[in-house]
Amino acid sequence: MLIGVPKEIKNHEYRVGLTPSSVREMCAHGHKVMVETNAGEGIGCADEDYIKAGAEIVGAAKDVFDKAEMIIKVKEPQAVEYEQLSEDQLLFTYLHLAPDPAQTKGLVNSGATCIAYETITDNRGGLPLLAPMSEVAGRMSIQVGATALQKAHGGRGMLLGGVPGVQPAKVVVIGGGVVGTNAAHMAMGLGADVTVLDRSLSRIAYLDDVFGPRMKTQYATVDATEELVFDADLVVGAVLVPGAAAPKLIRRNQLSSMKKGSVIVDVAIDQGGCFETSKATTHADPTYIVDDVVHYCVANMPGAVARTSTFALNNATLPFALALADKGWKQACADDPHLLAGLNVQGGRVTYKAVADDLGYDFADPAGLIAA
């Protein structure tokens, strides 16, 4: 199979779909790989590194989209990219379709087969291709939140961990999954007062077992969420409904009850955000203020630490990418129900139910497409 890797074009996105070592693995399986020139410069990998790994370097993204049978990216395709896709191509990348009707329509119109990293599952019910970026985003949420709390950035002027004789900042993490756990871990490491909200009693028990009394946990009722958020200095939104739009947990009329200069970091922004006032921002202009509350809603947070993120992501994506290239998407999905769960769009049909429900498309059962 001819595999193409274009350079990412989203604002301040420095990651790349394949590292040189992943290219070498693809070539060892008998596949050909073309990489757009300078695609790896953001992670410190030059064209020469890709050439040594066996790739062909091409001068423009158009060469990749014109020729490649499978295109491997990191972020969802931008309009100029999905307009170049054709029905005989396979796209393998993050998609986050539920909050993005324009992209969904573009992919449906292209006729391409589109497999999303974020909805591929594992035998434990996890999301293995989302997990590494969730780990990065969770840890980053505390870094960026601590910065946003500084007075010069619009925050309350608080040091996250306080100092002897001065109370630390109160950090509330909504959601105790991979993002929330990593956020809490980092916040506690910096000395903050940390509370995690979740609706899974088993997850709450797990967090208590792992972190002990250093972390506070609470069941996420509406009352508990309001009480904790209104008293927080930093709130991290870490709620995920796989493939679907994130639920809105804090409404616009509730912001005025939060502390002036408090900070919201909405890690769920890729799925539309879990605060009603959230809107996607970029690394170039990451924050804005509503009712004296600082909002950080960058939609590709891990792109800021591109090298770490790319290598972590490739560790997870490479086995699935090899299966798709070795077998073709139909056989690979037939052999692996977890990979089949990643099929979001195929041949002009929406094949992921949460996306179809959220955006008003007829749902095409992916198992039926495989059988046909």
Side-chain angles (χ1 to χ4, degrees), residues 109-170:
N109 290 343
S110 76
T113 299
C114 306
I115 296 179
Y117 293 165
E118 73 272 9
T119 61
I120 290 174
T121 57
D122 62 23
N123 55 14
R124 299 185 304 275
L127 302 169
L129 275 61
L130 193 61
M133 296 304 93
S134 295
E135 291 167 355
V136 171
R139 295 182 181 216
M140 275 192 67
S141 69
I142 302 304
Q143 277 186 207
V144 299
T147 300
L149 271 173
Q150 296 174 20
K151 194 66 178 177
H153 296 280
R156 302 192 72 216
M158 294 189 70
L159 183 64
L160 208 63
V163 292
V166 180
Q167 289 290 316
K170 292 182 179 179

Side-chain angles (χ1 to χ4, degrees), residues 15 18 30 55 64 101 123 126-127 163 166 169 236 269 278 301 329:
R15 290 173 291 179
L18 291 178
V64 173
N123 55 14
L127 302 169
V163 292
V166 180
V236 177
I269 193 64
S278 292
M301 287 177 64
W329 75 267

Side-chain angles (χ1 to χ4, degrees), residues 125-283:
L127 302 169
L129 275 61
L130 193 61
M133 296 304 93
S134 295
E135 291 167 355
V136 171
R139 295 182 181 216
M140 275 192 67
S141 69
I142 302 304
Q143 277 186 207
V144 299
T147 300
L149 271 173
Q150 296 174 20
K151 194 66 178 177
H153 296 280
R156 302 192 72 216
M158 294 189 70
L159 183 64
L160 208 63
V163 292
V166 180
Q167 289 290 316
K170 292 182 179 179
V171 177
V172 173
V173 181
I174 306 177
V178 177
V179 170
T181 300
N182 280 271
H185 180 77
M186 287 290 286
M188 286 188 297
L190 290 172
D193 177 344
V194 181
T195 302
V196 177
L197 287 156
D198 203 280
R199 290 198 169 205
S200 167
L201 291 177
S202 61
R203 188 65 185 181
I204 290 171
Y206 167 80
L207 293 172
D208 186 69
D209 285 343
V210 171
F211 294 103
R214 288 194 307 148
M215 178 195 289
K216 302 170 186 174
T217 57
Q218 191 155 345
Y219 186 79
T221 63
V222 173
D223 280 347
T225 301
E226 279 189 353
E227 180 182 349
L228 287 165
V229 167
F230 293 167
D231 193 41
D233 301 298
L234 170 60
V235 181
V236 177
V239 177
L240 173 69
V241 179
K248 306 300 181 190
L249 302 178
I250 298 296
R251 296 291 175 178
R252 172 71 174 78
N253 61 4
Q254 295 173 297
L255 278 192
S256 60
S257 297
M258 294 180 66
K259 294 177 181 176
K260 290 185 178 181
S262 58
V263 174
I264 284 171
V265 178
D266 196 344
V267 185
I269 193 64
D270 276 323
Q271 293 296 131
C274 56
F275 303 93
E276 190 174 36
T277 47
S278 292
K279 60 182 181 180
T281 60
T282 67
H283 289 291

